Amino acid sequence: MSGRDSGGWPRVDLDALESATAGLPSPLVTVDLAAFDANADDLVRRAAGRPIRVASKSVRCRALLRRVLDRPGFAGVMAYAVPEAVWLVRQGFTDVFVAYPSVDVEWIRTVVEDEQLRAEVTLAVDSVEQVRYLADLVGPGSGLRVALDVDCSLRVGRLHLGVRRSPLRTPADALGVTRAALDAGLRVVGLMFYDAQVAGLPDRGPHLRTLKKRSLADLADRRAPLVEAVRALTDVEFVNGGGTGSLHHLAAAETLTELAAGSGLYGPTLFDAYDDFAPRPAMTYALPVVRRPGPGVVTAYSGGYVASGEPGWSRVPSPVGRALKLIRTEAAGEVQTPLRGRAADGLAIGDRVWMRGAKAGELLERFDYVHLVDGGLLVETVPSYRGERLNFG
């Protein structure tokens, strides 16, 4: 259903989408299964034999999470909240790593008090302070599984290039946290190296390409001694690294046992500007036209699904195709989204405008259901996390 046009831009077959969703009320969101599966295949190809842990915050749909984990090349879940991890395990998922520190007291206790959850759920820690917090919460000898989240930002003098996540950066840092965790009766079973400034930034200009190259070299130098230091104290089950935008750079990294990805399954617009890969746009959403303010302009209902991160036009959704554009002074709004272009005068009240989100799963926080389509046919309608009335923060 999707590919790229002669200019290299992602192309979506709007006629097929309209046919597959005819009669359904909008706003609505679709996932093209052929594109989703093709993106999954491409992730596996770029991982070059390394298993990929699926980032659930980018998928946020149980049926699609199950679909990708049933494919060869994928194993384990990278979750984003402890209640989500508990729910996933109780739904039959295994090996769920909560990759963000949590202070969700009741849910952490739920994990510790349940043998199955204790065996399948791993929590992230990055400091002695966090270890002490967990130890005070769950008591000695809990056997709670934890993994170290290592800072992968690039430091150049006083410059901090990357996200503000973990303070854990050196082998000495890792040894301090590991010893504190073991002394508290926690099990240190893994490490995570997420290179946000490589995996999450498009290749826009030579300065970003240089940043990525230098970051990868810096990480390659720092990762091995840090992993070796932790392995000297305890058995480590997994060393995770990367994201959709960096899989191919890390597939040969000897210290990593697995990679991570999620957003690339949907192919949002942030990936349109990467040099080395081109995911197919699998997720698309439709807004109904409700106004005609003037010639060459229509207004669609709702649509202001702006992505998280640094504010700017790269975080704003985009109309599919080039016949309509957002109006710069309004962009996409909470209750209305005006669009201008040569296609506007051909649209009637009640017709649809199709859009793509800048990022992946967070778009599904706006929709209860996902319509799965393939070749102009509606295959199935499944609930999103929101549709299952789940809120993981």
Side-chain angles (χ1 to χ4, degrees):
M1 182 183 292
S2 56
R4 301 183 86 79
D5 64 21
S6 58
W9 292 92
R11 175 173 50 81
V12 176
D13 188 339
L14 296 184
D15 290 337
L17 283 177
E18 289 286 0
S19 175
T21 60
L24 295 176
S26 54
L28 61 83
V29 64
T30 67
V31 169
D32 172 6
L33 292 178
F36 182 89
D37 290 345
N39 290 338
D41 287 341
D42 186 60
L43 290 171
V44 171
R45 177 189 62 80
R46 291 195 293 120
R50 293 289 171 89
I52 300 171
R53 186 180 292 271
V54 184
S56 64
K57 79 177 185 67
S58 299
V59 179
R60 298 195 198 191
C61 173
R62 180 163 56 104
L64 290 169
L65 190 60
R66 182 75 276 160
R67 183 183 183 91
V68 70
L69 283 168
D70 284 343
R71 301 175 67 86
F74 295 89
V77 178
M78 180 175 283
Y80 65 101
V82 178
E84 178 204 15
V86 170
W87 176 71
L88 287 172
V89 171
R90 289 175 173 169
Q91 295 297 318
F93 292 84
T94 59
D95 188 12
V96 182
F97 169 38
V98 182
Y100 307 86
S102 176
V103 293
D104 201 329
V105 172
E106 293 306 316
W107 286 103
I108 293 171
R109 285 177 174 157
T110 296
V111 171
V112 172
E113 292 167 3
D114 184 290
E115 184 178 355
Q116 181 189 21
L117 294 172
R118 205 166 57 245
E120 299 293 347
V121 175
T122 304
L123 306 187
V125 295
D126 61 29
S127 66
V128 173
E129 181 182 12
Q130 287 177 0
V131 167
R132 288 173 178 164
Y133 177 89
L134 289 176
D136 290 343
L137 177 63
V138 302
S142 68
L144 181 68
R145 294 165 56 91
V146 297
L148 308 187
D149 180 4
V150 180
D151 173 36
C152 294
S153 62
L154 177 65
R155 307 288 178 85
V156 181
R158 294 185 177 181
L159 288 178
H160 180 285
L161 304 174
V163 296
R164 302 278 181 172
R165 288 171 60 111
S166 168
L168 193 163
R169 187 169 178 85
T170 67
D173 295 335
L175 286 172
V177 176
T178 301
R179 287 192 180 106
L182 296 175
D183 289 345
L186 308 182
R187 295 178 58 202
V188 179
V189 299
L191 298 99
M192 177 175 66
F193 295 82
Y194 175 54
D195 50 295
Q197 71 275 17
V198 180
L201 289 178
D203 298 303
R204 288 196 174 101
H207 60 296
L208 286 179
R209 296 184 183 93
T210 300
L211 165 64
K212 290 186 176 188
K213 184 175 180 180
R214 188 164 177 177
S215 292
L216 289 166
D218 173 69
L219 267 177
D221 289 340
R222 292 198 293 117
R223 192 167 47 232
L226 197 150
V227 172
E228 183 179 351
V230 176
R231 287 192 184 278
L233 294 182
T234 186
D235 292 332
V236 173
E237 296 176 14
F238 67 87
V239 181
N240 180 278
T244 291
S246 62
L247 289 185
H248 50 296
H249 294 299
L250 298 172
E254 294 181 358
T255 48
L256 297 177
T257 64
E258 63 177 37
L259 303 174
S263 297
L265 294 164
Y266 289 153
T269 62
L270 279 177
F271 290 120
D272 290 352
Y274 281 72
D275 290 339
D276 299 328
F277 67 101
R280 298 170 64 177
M283 179 183 284
T284 316
Y285 67 97
L287 307 175
V289 172
V290 294
R291 299 179 191 257
R292 189 181 303 284
V297 180
V298 292
T299 301
Y301 175 70
S302 72
Y305 312 144
V306 177
S308 61
E310 181 183 6
W313 279 92
S314 66
R315 306 290 164 166
V316 175
S318 301
V320 173
R322 297 186 176 184
L324 290 173
K325 294 183 178 180
L326 296 173
I327 295 174
R328 300 286 295 189
T329 54
E330 291 191 59
E334 180 184 7
V335 294
Q336 71 170 41
T337 297
L339 302 113
R340 176 185 287 127
R342 65 179 184 273
D345 291 336
L347 292 172
I349 300 299
D351 286 348
R352 294 166 172 169
V353 173
W354 289 88
M355 309 279 287
R356 293 173 61 213
K359 292 181 74 174
E362 62 190 56
L363 177 63
L364 293 187
E365 294 300 317
R366 302 287 187 158
F367 295 93
D368 289 341
Y369 296 98
V370 185
H371 301 290
L372 308 182
V373 302
D374 192 4
L377 297 175
L378 177 64
V379 175
E380 189 179 5
T381 296
V382 298
S384 65
Y385 275 11
R386 173 177 141 157
E388 301 205 58
R389 294 295 183 264
L390 302 168
N391 179 15
F392 305 126

